[in-house]
Amino acid sequence: MQAQLDQVVHEVEKVIVGKRSVIEKILMTLLAQGHVLLDDVPGVGKTTLAVALSRTVGMAFQRVQFTPDVLPSDLVGFTMYDRNSGDFVYRPGVLAGANLLLGDEINRATSKTQSALLEAMEERQITVDGKTYRLQNPFIVIATENSVGTTGTQFLPYAQLDRFLVRLSLGYPDYEAQMTILRDRQQGNPMEEVRRVMEKEELSVAQQETGMVTMKDTILDYITRLAMASREHVAVEVGISPRGALFLARMAKARAYLEGRDYVTGEDVQAVFVDVCAHRVLLRQNVQEAGVLQVLHELLKKVENPDRRHLFQGMKKV
Amino acid sequence: MKKRWIGYAVWLLLSACLYFFENNTGTRVILICSLLFPLIPYFRAAFFSDRKLAALRTGKFTRPVHSSRQKKRISDFHRLEGDEPGDLRLYQPGDPVRRIHWKLSAKKDELLIREPAPDQEIQEAEQDAAAESLPCKTSCRGPLLWGAVCVIVLCVLLFLLIPEAIWGAQALCNRIFAASEAANAYAYAYFPVPEGQSVTLALALIAAGVLALLSVMVLRRCRFIAFVLLTAITLFQVYFGLPLPGWIDILLYGALALWILPFPADRRAIPGFIGFVLLVALLVALFFPGVDPGTEAVSERVRDQLSRMAQQWSGTAQELPEGETETRHVHTQSLLPGLREGQTDREYRLVTVEEEQISIPRFINWVKTVLLFLLVAALVALPFTPFLLLNARRKKAEEARRAFASENVSEAVCAIFRQVILWLNETGHDAGNLLYRDWTEQLPCAMPPGYAVRFRACAEDFEEATYSAHDLPEEKRQRALDLLKETEKALYPAVDWKQRLRIRYWVCLCE
């Protein structure tokens, strides 16, 4: 299974050059059954990434470009009176058939639409006129936010941000990657070369196996201490929520699985900590100069890691 | 069984008759011994090892585990294995570092260990087995108590019926005092103390005694109470000038000393110790009564000096004129030769008591006694301390080594890796709150090439051992052992003696 997952990363890397770590993190989110919030400037390949990913794993891809007049019924579908048969017929929306939904510029949608999407993300089901429909399995939403040109937009409230497993950012490619991208696009579209290396049923199996990765109490203790420390930090208004801690554990498991291990180590937690927690931490108004990332790195440095704690248990502090 | 009691009754009758017909020391001793006869098993119990004690309790005397033939067989077995007694072998992690043969190790470029002779190991094993065979400690107290009671009864009878024993004890005490004061004299002769500083000196002595006592007592917390009581009693007597009668003091201090002594094993040895002292006292009384005039002269001089100092110290400022001290000196001198060979110590004691009453305020005597007591306690306690520490170290090292060879490879890898980290910690190469796999950049550059790679591999093994649910393959244990060996070899020569001590201490602490 790990070989296949590696293959997936490799295939996606054909079109998204030099962003291996981001691709891996999105794959981890997929394994952890979470959703991604991509916070980025336009034109760095968010859509390309989503399309390539859906191709390699054989998932049905849907895309919504959010604008202020996108309505909840566009997403979840609606029931319509059919004059011929004389009864109401359900017309499915974008969500119904999608394995991978790319929600572009989610901050431009009205809050009503946003909350419809977020509910579907959380429950993995939609309810229209009292009837409940299950969504596809696997189901992942990759929502994007533009950090520039934000006039007339509705920012996601904190409570809704909390439901995304990770908040990532692709960022601009470096010189080498930029050259490669340009060179590849001269003759044809590299998207054509992306092969399907995995079926979505296999992905479901992988998701289940991810859930069974061993997680010792030492690691859970570490996660708990990290969360507590974030709540007690002087510069922090709102720390990592219990759901945040839960997501952190799930993401760490996914990373371990992707690395080909059946146990979670402290390194897994550290590697995903910033991505999982950065959008969950609100700083106090008066200490804005210390960025969130700085605070999180400080936490990682300060909180005793599980290796050390395990080894020196019952011993005096050095 | 009954026959034995009848025989005993007859014997008792005979000895009683003997005592009534011919009343002298010999017949008294015989009578006492016969009276004590039935108590002898308990008496023996006080001196016996735990194993025999347990046997005594259950009524079954078993043979020792290793007869001499078995011992020989075991040592033969060792020989076959290639472990000659006193042999050298390669160092394995967990071996006590003090057994490393440094000279040869330096020559061979490999750490070599002096193997202890097999007999020693057998004895150790035997002791361990004996200790383990005891179900619990409390059940041994009955015979122990009886043994102690027997000894006390015996001592009292001895003192009551044989006057020589009292003389002997007095002579012995006097000798001890004289010897200690002679030692003081040498100390004052070689390290002259300015007069103003005598208080500091005394305080330092007290502190030394207290420290020595503490070093024994910290081993168990409850003994602290005993120490506090001891101090309180002493202070009470010294400062409020309310000395208790001598025998109550002896009982009190004795009981507290019993409490303070660290092990039940030591307590078991106390009756033996008292008995030994009494025997020596008796011998001294019988063969060397009186006091050695040479020692006595020295101690007399010192006493003068001490009393002068004490007066300055206490501030009573009863400046004795030079002449008076001189006359007292002369007075003593004139008395001393008067002590005949074979004369009892009683007369001598009377003389000294008289002298002390002339010269020294009473509570100064107490201070001196307490100082002496503390000094003696310090001297008694100090030799115990390193032994206890070393013994603990030996046990801990063995325990750690047992973990290295444990069935569960994960556990073994954890234990070994912990040792590696301890080494790094103690030699100041701690990389702080980093995951161990990330320590590679922080490792000291003095390490052999490729060490960082091996360290990382082992750190990953350690993670697997700690966080995974499955067991590890055997070769990972070997890899960790190799790393530990390499680390020790690379780091040990680089550290100074203080850190070496700390390392050893840490090795004790880590389980």
Side-chain angles (χ1 to χ4, degrees):
Chain A
M1 194 61 84
Q2 269 74 34
Q4 271 173 312
L5 290 171
D6 265 2
Q7 198 68 35
V8 169
V9 177
H10 182 71
E11 290 296 326
V12 177
E13 225 182 353
K14 279 183 187 166
V15 286
I16 306 291
V17 184
K19 295 287 173 200
R20 191 181 175 90
S21 66
V22 179
I23 298 166
E24 276 178 349
K25 273 169 194 158
I26 291 179
L27 201 57
M28 282 175 217
T29 321
L30 202 57
L31 289 172
Q33 307 188 26
H35 306 282
V36 186
L37 182 64
L38 278 177
D39 189 7
D40 235 325
V41 288
V44 288
K46 290 172 295 215
T47 317
T48 321
L49 173 67
V51 172
L53 193 63
S54 60
R55 269 198 188 200
T56 45
V57 190
M59 295 192 294
F61 173 70
Q62 292 284 357
R63 175 195 174 136
V64 186
Q65 180 73 44
F66 284 106
T67 53
D69 51 3
V70 173
L71 293 177
S73 57
D74 294 336
L75 297 178
V76 299
F78 54 94
T79 43
M80 193 182 91
Y81 181 69
D82 188 348
R83 201 188 299 173
N84 295 341
S85 58
D87 56 359
F88 287 91
V89 180
Y90 172 63
R91 297 288 169 136
V94 186
L95 285 173
N99 288 122
L100 195 161
L101 180 83
L102 178 68
D104 242 344
E105 301 197 68
I106 193 173
N107 52 345
R108 292 201 186 279
T110 57
S111 32
K112 205 175 173 187
T113 317
Q114 281 177 1
S115 46
L117 178 65
L118 290 163
E119 214 175 313
M121 280 162 54
E122 186 76 7
E123 316 287 331
R124 287 165 191 278
Q125 64 185 23
I126 47 179
T127 306
V128 183
D129 290 344
K131 277 181 94 176
T132 302
Y133 305 92
R134 296 287 311 170
L135 292 179
Q136 298 286 319
N137 192 29
F139 177 70
I140 177 176
V141 174
I142 300 181
T144 69
E145 253 186 338
N146 269 347
S147 41
V148 292
T150 50
T151 36
T153 58
Q154 309 222 0
F155 275 110
L156 285 175
Y158 171 77
Q160 297 191 346
L161 272 180
D162 201 37
R163 298 191 187 176
F164 284 98
L165 182 53
V166 287
R167 180 190 208 168
L168 298 171
S169 141
L170 276 169
Y172 291 119
D174 56 6
Y175 176 81
E176 289 294 322
Q178 183 65 68
M179 286 293 281
T180 318
I181 291 166
L182 288 177
R183 206 178 293 128
D184 286 352
R185 300 290 199 280
Q186 294 310 310
Q187 297 306 323
N189 188 0
M191 187 63 89
E192 306 296 325
E193 294 167 24
V194 174
R195 290 176 298 124
R196 175 186 290 197
V197 290
M198 202 177 182
E199 295 303 323
K200 56 186 179 188
E201 288 76 22
E202 286 174 319
L203 187 68
S204 297
V205 173
Q207 283 178 343
Q208 277 168 17
E209 282 178 6
T210 305
M212 288 188 290
V213 167
T214 312
M215 194 157 209
K216 284 273 174 84
D217 273 359
T218 337
I219 303 291
L220 295 180
D221 166 65
Y222 183 45
I223 291 174
T224 312
R225 279 185 293 121
L226 278 174
M228 306 272 264
S230 81
R231 290 166 210 166
E232 285 156 12
H233 196 281
V234 279
V236 173
E237 176 89 52
V238 182
I240 298 166
S241 58
R243 176 164 47 198
L246 202 64
F247 278 173
L248 182 58
R250 258 161 68 181
M251 190 68 174
K253 271 182 170 183
R255 183 175 189 276
Y257 184 75
L258 199 64
E259 297 269 306
R261 278 184 270 114
D262 66 344
Y263 53 92
V264 180
T265 68
E267 198 208 1
D268 292 324
V269 178
Q270 292 195 351
V272 299
F273 179 67
V274 172
D275 291 314
V276 174
C277 297
H279 58 289
R280 294 169 208 282
V281 173
L282 281 188
L283 296 188
R284 285 183 202 284
Q285 290 295 321
N286 49 358
V287 282
Q288 279 301 344
E289 68 270 19
V292 175
L293 296 188
Q294 202 180 329
V295 169
L296 290 181
H297 283 296
E298 202 178 294
L299 284 180
L300 278 184
K301 250 188 212 142
K302 204 177 67 187
V303 176
E304 191 183 27
N305 69 49
D307 283 6
R308 209 175 162 75
R309 198 169 177 88
H310 173 79
L311 214 53
F312 288 99
Q313 245 168 19
M315 264 202 242
K316 276 183 216 158
K317 192 85 189 66
V318 180
Chain B
M1 198 64 200
K2 271 185 185 171
K3 269 183 193 171
R4 210 182 283 173
W5 282 108
I6 294 167
Y8 172 65
V10 172
W11 171 259
L12 205 62
L13 202 66
L14 276 178
S15 50
C17 289
L18 202 64
Y19 177 69
F20 280 117
F21 285 124
E22 191 129 358
N23 182 357
N24 67 15
T25 315
T27 49
R28 263 180 283 169
V29 171
I30 290 173
L31 186 63
I32 294 162
C33 289
S34 349
L35 278 170
L36 285 174
F37 200 67
L39 295 173
I40 280 175
Y42 293 115
F43 191 66
R44 277 163 64 191
F47 301 98
F48 277 2
S49 68
D50 284 340
R51 181 158 45 77
K52 287 189 180 165
L53 203 64
L56 199 72
R57 208 176 51 249
T58 52
K60 260 189 273 177
F61 280 92
T62 48
R63 289 180 66 77
V65 182
H66 294 292
S67 68
S68 59
R69 251 170 80 193
Q70 276 171 322
K71 259 183 199 168
K72 192 173 172 297
R73 244 163 54 202
I74 287 173
S75 64
D76 280 347
F77 173 74
H78 274 272
R79 218 157 277 145
L80 281 179
E81 294 280 302
D83 285 345
E84 288 277 348
D87 205 349
L88 287 169
R89 62 172 174 74
L90 277 179
Y91 173 79
Q92 288 174 335
D95 279 339
V97 188
R98 76 196 141 101
R99 277 211 204 129
I100 294 179
H101 198 306
W102 289 108
K103 206 169 172 184
L104 271 180
S105 304
K107 217 183 218 172
K108 295 245 175 188
D109 209 21
E110 269 173 338
L111 285 178
L112 291 172
I113 286 280
R114 272 190 299 265
E115 187 79 346
D119 280 357
Q120 199 181 331
E121 277 184 1
I122 289 167
Q123 278 170 11
E124 281 176 10
E126 216 173 3
Q127 280 165 8
D128 288 355
E132 277 163 17
S133 70
L134 270 182
C136 61
K137 280 177 187 168
T138 47
S139 53
C140 318
R141 284 214 178 129
L144 261 183
L145 207 64
W146 271 110
V149 168
C150 288
V151 169
I152 290 165
V153 167
L154 181 69
C155 296
V156 170
L157 285 177
L158 202 70
F159 276 116
L160 285 182
L161 296 179
I162 309 176
E164 283 92 342
I166 301 177
W167 303 336
Q170 282 169 353
L172 200 67
C173 288
N174 275 329
R175 261 156 213 238
I176 292 172
F177 271 78
S180 75
E181 279 171 359
N184 276 343
Y186 281 115
Y188 283 121
Y190 284 104
F191 306 101
V193 183
E195 291 188 342
Q197 278 184 19
S198 51
V199 178
T200 329
L201 183 75
L203 285 179
L205 279 177
I206 292 174
V210 169
L211 275 180
L213 275 175
L214 273 177
S215 65
V216 174
M217 276 177 301
V218 287
L219 296 166
R220 250 182 237 169
R221 206 180 301 153
C222 65
R223 292 194 190 103
F224 193 69
I225 306 167
F227 175 70
V228 170
L229 276 177
L230 197 79
T231 321
I233 290 171
T234 313
L235 285 179
F236 187 73
Q237 296 189 354
V238 171
Y239 282 107
F240 297 96
L242 294 172
L244 299 166
W247 61 276
I248 293 185
D249 260 357
I250 289 172
L251 276 182
L252 262 176
Y253 281 113
L256 289 171
L258 268 180
W259 195 356
I260 289 174
L261 274 170
F263 293 131
D266 294 340
R267 279 185 210 154
R268 198 166 55 239
I270 292 165
F273 179 71
I274 297 173
F276 179 73
V277 170
L278 287 175
L279 190 69
V280 171
L282 205 60
L283 287 178
V284 166
L286 289 178
F287 294 104
F288 310 101
V291 181
D292 179 22
T295 323
E296 202 37 52
V298 175
S299 95
E300 201 47 48
R301 272 207 307 282
V302 175
R303 246 174 249 191
D304 285 346
Q305 213 169 344
L306 271 181
S307 65
R308 269 206 303 280
M309 275 175 62
Q311 278 169 4
Q312 284 163 3
W313 180 15
S314 62
T316 45
Q318 293 175 349
E319 284 287 325
L320 287 178
E322 279 299 304
E324 196 175 328
T325 323
E326 278 304 306
T327 46
R328 194 156 58 78
H329 203 76
V330 169
H331 170 65
T332 321
Q333 287 289 4
S334 64
L335 261 178
L336 270 174
L339 288 169
R340 274 177 294 109
E341 186 83 9
Q343 194 177 12
T344 63
D345 274 343
R346 190 174 173 75
E347 289 172 44
Y348 166 73
R349 203 171 62 83
L350 284 175
V351 169
T352 50
V353 165
E354 193 185 322
E355 272 177 23
E356 281 169 3
Q357 280 172 349
I358 293 168
S359 60
I360 307 167
R362 196 176 164 76
F363 86 96
I364 296 297
N365 267 348
W366 270 106
V367 174
K368 265 172 72 183
T369 317
V370 169
L371 267 180
L372 196 70
F373 175 78
L374 283 174
L375 266 179
V376 170
L379 287 176
V380 168
L382 275 177
F384 276 105
T385 323
F387 165 73
L388 291 173
L389 283 178
L390 284 179
N391 194 38
R393 203 175 81 74
R394 183 180 68 84
K395 278 191 181 158
K396 293 285 182 188
E398 272 175 9
E399 211 169 279
R401 207 173 155 194
R402 259 205 295 281
F404 290 177
S406 100
E407 294 272 312
N408 190 342
V409 181
S410 305
E411 218 168 81
V413 168
C414 278
I416 298 165
F417 195 74
R418 172 182 295 164
Q419 211 78 358
V420 173
I421 295 297
L422 272 179
W423 273 94
L424 288 170
N425 263 337
E426 284 313 296
T427 50
H429 298 117
D430 191 350
N433 191 19
L434 277 180
L435 292 170
Y436 291 128
R437 55 159 66 208
D438 299 332
W439 275 31
T440 41
E441 292 92 31
Q442 312 273 340
L443 288 175
C445 46
M447 288 304 197
Y451 177 81
V453 179
R454 287 191 287 279
F455 181 87
R456 194 185 160 99
C458 272
E460 278 165 15
D461 289 349
F462 161 73
E463 282 180 354
E464 189 172 353
T466 316
Y467 303 125
S468 77
H470 54 80
D471 205 3
L472 271 65
E474 185 62 36
E475 68 255 22
K476 297 210 167 170
R477 185 209 303 262
Q478 199 49 50
R479 193 153 79 171
L481 278 176
D482 289 344
L483 182 83
L484 177 59
K485 210 188 275 183
E486 201 177 357
T487 315
E488 285 179 346
K489 205 169 148 187
L491 289 181
Y492 199 84
V495 302
D496 64 351
W497 65 272
K498 270 188 206 165
Q499 276 177 331
R500 280 181 205 201
L501 274 180
R502 282 180 68 208
I503 287 170
R504 291 180 188 191
Y505 181 63
W506 271 97
V507 170
C508 302
L509 277 188
C510 89
E511 301 161 335

